[in-house]
Each structure stands twice: as structure tokens, then as C-alpha cells.
Amino acid sequence: MSSEQAHVATIREVAAAAGVSIGTASKALNGRGKLREETRARVTAAAERLGFRPNPLAQGLLQGRTYTVGLVTGDSFGRFSIPVMLGAEDALGAGQISVFMCDTRDDPIREQHYVERLLARRVEGIIVTGRRTEPRPSIGADLPVPVVYAMTQSASDDDFSVIPDDRGGGALAARHLLATGRTRIGHVTGPERFEAARRRAEGLTDALAEAGTGLAGEPLFGEWTEEWGRQGADILLRAHPDVEAVFCGSDQIARGVSETLRERGRRIPDDVAVVGFDNWEPMVEGSRPPLTTVDMNLGEIGRIAAEHLLEAIGGAPRARGVLTVPCSLVLRESTRVNPA
């Protein structure tokens, strides 16, 4: 591409070519002000000749738009909200729409305060996110701007929420382990009160049942910690010493499971394969060996949520209900199959 082709004409150049002030050129191109038709036509012709394209952000500001959205999160550590925000920013357009991020620290009063502050700043929409997919109270039914929920879901059927397909993620792990020849598969996961833990376990057991096999024992529900992973693996090995694989409800749990397996003299993946969930890079890359894991595609969740928000801002009917985004499997050394 030549430098001539790459050049983007400015309003100043259009004004100079038409022999008018920058203010007059702006009025002519935006259809404002009392100008002679001859002047308006001269400016328009200069703009067309130079290939001038109006800045949509500047035009929006002239129309009273702020080109800002708010992101309200209860995920203080940013483990889930930051990837969601990055995906949302991709959809909102680099440099075109700004995002105000507010951390509620899971405090309903603090959340309401931030919602009011965002509305006072005249944001054009709000994305609500968190670290749990459990239904949560709506931030308001009569807000003057559209709202979408990402990596969390509103308890109101009138709202629109985007969450990962945890059940599908559990099924992905099961099918992968079965494809590697492992049939005696155990499951160590987080608290049963969490919807994500229950859905991942359901996806695993349903996929195993479809393949004509079953889980080694019952799902072991506990905590989202490495310590529970160590304890859960110990319980599993005592009850099922012939276990060939362990699907873990999180990468942290998988790190703990892997540690206990090594302490018991089980080689990973030669004796026992391990699959995690989350694709949290510091965890999976730091594990020995690196973990195969299920990725929730948080960036995609953020992108889809932002696209729906933009459509609503643009006047499209607001979507309702819950949309689940497929997970994907990221293969690493912990499930490798050695050649015979």
C-alpha cells in the first residue's frame, strides 16, 4: 500500500480544500448550522474528493452519546472478569468505546452504589460479571440502559445472560479420556452447592454412560483448592487403586491431585491421566507435567455479551434468557498417550 493510499484525510484538510474554516466544514458535513447551499456543496465535494470519513466517535458525541459502558464485577481477583472484559473490549472496538470497571466485592450495597454512579456518568450500557454462574438478583428491571450478564446469570427471565457450557465441558473431558483408552475414571471437584461443580459432574457421568461405562465411585465434592485435590486423590486411590484417569473440577484441584499421585508412585500420564478445568495458565503450565484442561472461553463469553449489548444500544430488541458458550479442550502432557 502506498503512503497516498494509507493517508486518512482530516477535517482540517477538507476545510482548507473548500476554503472555509474548520467549524464551517464540520457544520456542513454534519448537517448543522445555517449555511449557504453553495458552501455546503463545496465542503461535501472536497470531502468526497479527499476520501474523508467522519470519525464515528466524534459524531456520536455531537449527538449526545458518551461511547462508554460499565462493567460491574464481584470477582475481586479478576480471575474471570478480566478475560471477560478483554473479550468485551474486542467487540466494543479498540479505542471507540471505553469501559468503566467497578469491583463490588460481592457487596449488594456497593453494587447498587456503582450502578448509580455509572448511570450518572451516562454510560450507554452495563455488563455484569462475576466468578460464579449461579443465578443472582437482577441489578434492576427499569434501568434506562440495556444490561447483559456474562459469566454469571440473572435470576430474572427478562434479562440476558451468557455463561459457559459446564455440562458440555465435563463431557469433553470424558470423551477425551475415553479416546485415550482410559475407562476407569474418577472425579474430584468443588463444592456441590456450586452449579458449575454439579454441571461438570453431570456432563462427565452422562458421557461415560453413553459410552457404556461408569464413573469410578461417586463424584468427590469438596473445595476449589489444591489441598482438597490432594485429599480427594488420596480418597479416590484408597477406594479405587486401579483408577486410570482423574477429571478435576478445576485446575487448582488438578494440581493437588497430581501431587498426591506422584507421592503414591503413580506416573502421569503413563499410569494415571489428569484433566483440569479453567485453563488458568499459571496453574496448568506450572503443573508437573503441564495439564490438559477444559477452557471456558471467557473471552468469547465477553465478546458475545458485548455484541448483544451493542445491538441493544443500537435499538434492537433486547435479548432474554440464558446463552451457553461451548467450552474447548486444551491438550497438554498430562493425558499424553505413549506409543506402544
Side-chain angles (χ1 to χ4, degrees):
M1 178 178 289
S2 70
S3 59
E4 239 186 342
Q5 289 174 309
H7 178 71
V8 178
T10 66
I11 187 71
R12 182 184 299 277
E13 291 170 332
V14 171
V20 299
S21 68
I22 294 174
T24 297
S26 177
K27 289 177 183 177
L29 294 172
N30 287 290
R32 298 182 299 113
K34 295 181 179 179
L35 300 175
R36 290 188 302 170
E37 284 304 316
E38 178 192 343
T39 301
R40 200 180 298 276
R42 194 163 71 249
V43 172
T44 301
E48 290 177 354
R49 187 169 65 254
L50 295 172
F52 175 75
R53 295 291 180 269
N55 183 325
L57 177 58
Q59 286 191 314
L61 292 172
L62 288 170
Q63 296 162 9
R65 295 190 61 180
T66 62
Y67 277 80
T68 57
V69 301
L71 188 142
V72 177
T73 178
D75 175 25
S76 300
F77 297 106
R79 165 68 189 91
F80 302 106
S81 59
I82 289 177
V84 168
M85 184 181 73
L86 293 176
E89 285 185 329
D90 286 344
L92 294 172
Q96 293 299 307
I97 294 185
S98 300
V99 180
F100 292 128
M101 185 172 178
C102 304
D103 176 18
T104 69
R105 303 179 192 175
D106 276 339
D107 181 347
I109 296 176
R110 191 179 180 92
E111 178 178 89
Q112 189 58 41
H113 167 72
Y114 277 131
V115 170
E116 291 170 0
R117 288 280 301 276
L118 289 169
L119 293 176
R121 282 179 171 267
R122 296 171 55 227
V123 297
E124 299 189 51
I126 297 175
I127 298 173
V128 181
T129 187
R131 60 179 182 270
R132 292 186 293 271
T133 57
E134 273 70 25
R136 47 143 296 153
S138 173
I139 65 169
D142 301 313
L143 297 183
V145 298
V147 178
V148 297
Y149 296 76
M151 189 52 202
T152 189
Q153 58 182 307
S154 171
S156 171
D157 293 336
D158 290 330
D159 289 328
F160 178 67
S161 308
V162 188
I163 61 173
D165 182 5
D166 286 305
R167 186 192 293 266
L172 269 179
R175 293 182 187 123
H176 170 62
L177 290 171
L178 291 170
T180 65
R182 281 93 173 188
T183 56
R184 293 186 291 278
I185 300 169
H187 186 39
V188 182
T189 190
E192 191 170 10
R193 67 180 183 276
F194 280 79
E195 183 174 284
R198 299 193 304 273
R199 296 290 179 265
R200 292 167 193 177
E202 290 167 3
L204 172 71
T205 55
D206 287 352
L208 292 177
E210 288 174 9
T213 187
L215 193 65
E218 295 296 319
L220 296 174
F221 292 100
E223 301 298 328
W224 302 114
T225 63
E226 287 185 58
E227 176 58 29
W228 164 240
R230 289 190 285 270
Q231 295 174 13
D234 190 54
I235 294 169
L236 181 63
L237 288 173
R238 290 177 187 275
H240 302 278
D242 60 347
V243 69
E244 297 174 318
V246 185
F247 170 47
C248 304
S250 77
D251 294 331
Q252 284 177 284
I253 292 172
R255 283 277 293 265
V257 166
S258 297
E259 187 174 320
T260 292
L261 288 171
R262 286 196 304 272
E263 289 176 353
R264 300 294 184 272
R266 306 297 178 92
R267 296 169 301 165
I268 304 171
D270 305 77
D271 301 322
V272 182
V274 178
V275 176
F277 205 107
D278 290 341
N279 197 27
W280 188 6
E281 288 195 4
M283 282 285 163
V284 295
E285 297 290 354
S287 186
R288 293 182 296 161
L291 284 167
T292 290
T293 187
V294 177
D295 192 317
M296 292 184 286
N297 293 322
L298 296 176
E300 181 71 359
I301 288 172
R303 185 189 65 77
I304 291 172
E307 286 180 347
H308 278 80
L309 188 68
L310 281 176
E311 289 175 2
I313 290 171
R318 298 188 188 186
R320 291 181 170 83
V322 178
L323 174 68
T324 56
V325 174
C327 297
S328 56
L329 191 70
V330 181
L331 300 177
R332 296 188 179 89
E333 293 299 306
S334 68
T335 60
R336 184 191 69 246
V337 178
N338 290 325

